[in-house]
Amino acid sequence: MTPTTGPEPEPATPTVLWRPDADTVAGARLTAFHARAAREHGAPPAGGSDPAADYRSLHRWSITDPDAFWSAVADFCEVSFVTPPRAVLADRTMPGAVWFPGAELNYAWHALRRAEAAPDEPVVLAVAEPDGEPVTRMVTGAELRGRVGAVAAALREAGVRPGDRVCGYLPNVPEALIAFLASATVGAVWASCSPDFGPRAVLDRFRQVEPVVLFAADGYRWAGRTIDRTDTVAELRRELPGLRATVHVPLLGTEPPEGAVAWADLVAGPMDPEFAVLPFDHPLWILYSSGTTGLPKALVQSHGGILLEHLKQLSLHCDLRPGDRMYWYTSTGWMMWNFLVSALLVGAVPVLHDGAPAHPRPDVQWRVAAEADAALYGTSAAYVMACAKAGVHPGEDPRLARLRCVATTGSPLPPDGFRWLHRELGDRWIASVSGGTDVCSCFVGAVPTLPVRSGELQAVCLGTDLRARDADGREVIGGVGELMVALPMPSMPIAFWNDPDGSRYRESYFTGHPGEWRHGDWITVTPHGGVVIHGRSDSTLNRQGVRMGSADIHEVVERLPGVRESLIVGVEEPGGGYWMPLFVHPAEGVDPADLAPGGALHERIRADLRAELSPRHVPDEIVLVPALPHTLTGKRLEVPIKRLLSGTPVERAVNPGSVDRPELLEFFVGLAADRRAAAV
């Protein structure tokens, strides 16, 4: 059900931190697309003097005439249909939209176009975690095509056919990219997990899809340590009875276990890929939800849907061109890896970073971006804030001169993060974006022709009919509402795996306003078209009848130098009471007494929340914790911890296999037990 009201918006008027100059606007891929769409597809012409007005008119056209818009995207980005479509959006019903019926193509063919055209140029860069400076290796176009072709031929020889599942238990290395592209080449369905996932978490995901081939690393390196995964791989092989083959990827230099195929043997003889011709809606890959409260949902996305959506995002919104380097810090267990490797679709060079996010120094990601000569660097909002606290100064590195855009996602980038990036990097495009694994893309985010305002995402993306709706289903501008999408997007899941009647799919997204996708975020759409993300609506705080966003509180608290991380939850108690504790993981060296009532940090947190938000945002209690658990992709566990504190048993409140440090859950179980005992 749609909640009764939303969190209170921030009253402050956001500051414009960056505005593209006339040359940037004129040279943007978005501007070229607008001109061609107006000339050939019926889009409104650009006025030229007001880029914001031009974008508004282009966006309005993209959602009122989606057939013309997506046709224009396909033409502009040179999508090659082996068989042309009979229509564009044949059925707009959600769920159940039908895109490009009759069309046939292959994602991998498009991803390898530049590799074929530029055989001697680097098309992939890979950075491995060393003991000291990052170590970079390059993969040329000829090498990438030859290895993809060889692995695809081996898959076919092993009996892999279109629709079979191929899984990767691999870090962010070229072998993962090659295995994925080979899978797509033959029409198999790819799914991956990072090797920092333990066996239970992997089996929760891979068992659902019954893979026939597993690509598995023997281990990985993390924060200066070598992590052996041979025992985990052996367990996966035992517990996945449908496997026909296991490919051993020796990142630690071990020999293949009995019955496994050596990666080196697979790629020893380069071959030209033979691409399967597939329907537009043929499954490309399976992504997984976090699975914190049960089995992860297995989200199936299509060759054509991902191709169109990622071409739109990377070409028009991210302004990437052939030869640009795109570096986004991610792992193979997060949708941003899938987004990153799609850089190949526009001829850009993905930079694959295999290693810890802040090892051997807090500034390592900035150094990777500099070494790679990145045009676009993406990271998490948490990393940006950690750099600010650690005194990192990326602006002092002259090698970042070609960096056009810094993008963030994973959680809302607070205004302080915008301001820090602006101070450090000067007149540079900052793109905070928000979407989800569910669509493997962004609902709102980067627009190269629009200004950047502190604390705001620039605009709703083209082709996305986003609405903020209040409790009565009315659209809200300038107020807080739930994020709803009123028009299908090509990358929305075509199905959940093992959901034959579609009931889990409908329950996940279509329980709010009839016929619209309910994403579960509190947002504000500003009068000038920007968007503010307030946090998840399923973890909303309800204080004195007013609902509040947790992200707003985390931002204020984590700005303080003595706070490493925080978590606020609201717990409904028997008898109608409401308890709102704030859990604080202090920075190194903080005296625990400072967080006790009367302590300096304790009082500063309360005073700042009262002054910057309101008295009702002040927690009932501030609780020091040794650390906070997260999902395996680094997100806060707001809902599961709320359930634990409400007395829900661990086995019903959270799936420990989906948690990075499940032992930390015991703290919250014990706290709930102590409160129940004290209430007796």
Side-chain angles (χ1 to χ4, degrees):
M1 297 295 293
T2 303
T4 56
T5 183
E8 295 178 319
E10 290 188 4
T13 302
T15 303
V16 173
L17 300 177
W18 176 82
R19 193 181 298 276
D21 59 26
D23 289 342
T24 298
V25 173
R29 296 275 289 164
L30 178 64
T31 301
F33 169 79
H34 193 164
R36 182 166 168 179
R39 189 169 61 248
E40 300 178 8
H41 293 276
S49 60
D50 185 354
D54 288 344
Y55 184 80
R56 284 194 297 272
S57 68
L58 183 64
H59 180 267
R60 191 178 308 111
W61 171 73
S62 76
I63 60 175
T64 54
D65 194 350
D67 292 55
F69 169 71
W70 288 106
S71 291
V73 171
D75 288 350
F76 184 78
C77 297
E78 299 179 344
V79 172
S80 178
F81 292 109
V82 178
T83 304
R86 298 188 301 271
V88 177
L89 183 52
D91 186 343
R92 301 188 186 191
T93 305
M94 287 198 292
V98 177
W99 288 96
F100 290 86
E104 293 181 308
L105 42 62
N106 187 291
Y107 171 100
W109 183 91
H110 290 83
L112 291 171
R113 281 188 292 190
R114 184 166 180 267
E116 182 177 27
D120 299 322
E121 295 181 18
V123 294
V124 177
L125 297 182
V127 180
E129 180 179 290
D131 294 327
E133 292 298 311
V135 175
T136 304
R137 59 179 168 134
M138 299 183 180
V139 181
T140 67
E143 290 169 338
L144 182 61
R145 279 185 65 88
R147 292 172 190 171
V148 170
V151 175
L155 290 175
R156 286 194 173 102
E157 188 175 341
V160 177
R161 297 293 179 261
D164 286 343
R165 277 74 62 207
V166 172
C167 289
Y169 186 54
L170 299 163
N172 188 12
V173 293
E175 290 84 351
L177 172 57
I178 292 164
F180 155 60
L181 289 175
S183 170
T185 294
V186 304
V189 187
W190 174 259
S192 64
C193 285
S194 173
D196 58 349
F197 286 28
R200 176 175 174 179
V202 179
L203 289 170
D204 280 351
R205 290 157 173 79
F206 288 176
R207 270 186 183 138
Q208 294 188 62
V209 303
E210 301 173 303
V212 298
V213 175
L214 174 67
F215 290 84
D218 54 356
Y220 63 104
R221 292 179 175 84
W222 184 265
R225 297 179 294 130
T226 297
I227 314 296
D228 186 287
R229 283 303 198 201
T230 53
D231 288 345
T232 299
V233 174
E235 183 174 350
L236 298 181
R237 295 178 71 189
R238 288 194 303 270
E239 298 295 329
L240 296 171
L243 286 179
R244 301 174 198 161
T246 299
V247 179
H248 177 74
V249 181
L251 300 181
L252 303 184
T254 64
E255 293 297 317
E258 184 177 355
V261 179
W263 173 264
D265 292 343
L266 240 59
V267 298
M271 299 179 64
D272 203 42
E274 294 183 18
F275 301 99
V277 177
L278 304 166
F280 187 92
D281 61 356
H282 185 81
L284 172 65
W285 58 45
I286 292 169
L287 299 180
Y288 297 97
S289 66
S290 60
T292 54
T293 56
L295 277 180
K297 295 188 288 286
L299 316 169
V300 185
Q301 292 160 340
S302 69
H303 272 249
I306 288 295
L307 176 68
L308 264 291
E309 180 64 32
H310 284 186
L311 283 171
K312 179 201 76 175
Q313 284 291 340
L314 293 165
S315 181
L316 307 184
H317 288 283
C318 296
D319 202 37
L320 285 175
R321 298 101 189 288
D324 279 348
R325 275 88 183 274
M326 175 181 174
Y327 166 45
W328 206 298
Y329 181 82
T330 184
S331 77
T332 56
W334 187 25
M335 58 138 292
M336 289 311 305
W337 183 82
N338 304 69
F339 191 79
L340 170 64
V341 300
S342 283
L344 294 167
L345 296 175
V346 296
V349 178
V351 180
L352 314 178
H353 181 180
D354 173 27
H359 179 82
R361 302 199 321 242
D363 67 346
V364 64
Q365 292 185 38
W366 295 103
R367 290 189 292 126
V368 170
E371 288 285 346
D373 200 19
L376 169 65
Y377 159 45
T379 189
S380 67
Y383 179 74
V384 170
M385 301 311 297
C387 286
K389 287 189 175 184
V392 172
H393 296 292
E396 296 175 356
D397 192 336
R399 299 174 301 171
L400 289 171
R402 287 189 59 184
L403 181 63
R404 299 198 301 266
C405 178
V406 177
T408 69
T409 191
S411 60
L413 181 66
D416 280 354
F418 279 88
R419 289 188 284 267
W420 181 81
L421 286 171
H422 182 67
R423 285 196 304 271
E424 287 295 328
L425 300 175
D427 195 26
R428 207 77 60 99
W429 181 19
I430 302 166
S432 179
V433 303
S434 182
T437 300
D438 323 76
V439 294
C440 198
S441 187
C442 307
F443 299 119
V444 291
V447 182
T449 59
L450 295 183
V452 172
R453 292 176 170 86
S454 176
E456 282 190 16
L457 287 69
Q458 286 178 280
V460 178
C461 294
L462 296 173
T464 304
D465 189 1
L466 179 144
R467 316 285 179 90
R469 293 201 181 277
D470 67 14
D472 297 320
R474 294 172 300 202
E475 186 173 3
V476 181
I477 301 295
V480 178
E482 280 221 85
L483 191 162
M484 309 291 290
V485 180
L487 184 73
M489 294 169 59
S491 62
M492 286 175 174
I494 54 175
F496 287 175
W497 202 264
N498 289 332
D499 181 28
D501 64 356
S503 58
R504 289 189 74 202
Y505 191 8
R506 289 191 298 274
E507 291 164 6
S508 296
Y509 307 116
F510 299 100
T511 57
H513 198 70
E516 294 187 354
W517 171 290
R518 176 178 178 265
H519 193 63
D521 281 344
W522 286 122
I523 64 168
T524 296
V525 178
T526 68
H528 50 260
V531 177
V532 178
I533 308 291
H534 299 284
R536 296 292 296 172
S537 58
D538 53 7
S539 59
T540 301
L541 307 166
N542 187 339
R543 198 76 174 286
Q544 300 165 355
V546 176
R547 294 180 181 258
M548 305 177 294
S550 58
D552 301 327
I553 293 176
H554 295 149
E555 177 207 334
V556 173
V557 174
E558 292 173 11
R559 185 184 304 162
L560 298 172
V563 177
R564 183 177 301 179
E565 191 178 15
S566 64
L567 177 72
I568 186 89
V569 294
V571 182
E572 293 82 7
E573 296 187 305
Y578 190 75
W579 178 49
M580 196 173 86
L582 172 70
F583 299 97
V584 174
H585 179 196
E588 188 174 352
V590 170
D591 186 341
D594 283 346
L595 272 169
L601 184 55
H602 182 282
E603 298 308 311
R604 176 69 185 277
I605 290 171
R606 292 176 58 84
D608 283 8
L609 288 172
R610 182 181 297 273
E612 297 189 37
L613 296 176
S614 79
R616 65 174 62 90
H617 288 80
V618 177
D620 295 312
E621 191 173 349
I622 297 175
V623 183
L624 184 149
V625 291
L628 287 166
H630 306 84
T631 69
L632 292 174
T633 53
K635 298 186 186 302
R636 291 178 171 93
L637 292 178
E638 295 172 77
V639 174
I641 286 177
K642 174 177 178 174
R643 291 177 177 175
L644 290 175
L645 294 174
S646 299
T648 305
V650 172
E651 62 272 14
R652 289 174 48 208
V654 62
N655 176 2
S658 69
V659 180
D660 60 353
R661 295 181 60 186
E663 71 277 6
L664 295 173
L665 298 173
E666 290 304 318
F667 174 89
F668 301 97
V669 173
L671 180 59
D674 291 345
R675 285 183 59 80
R676 286 196 301 274
V680 174

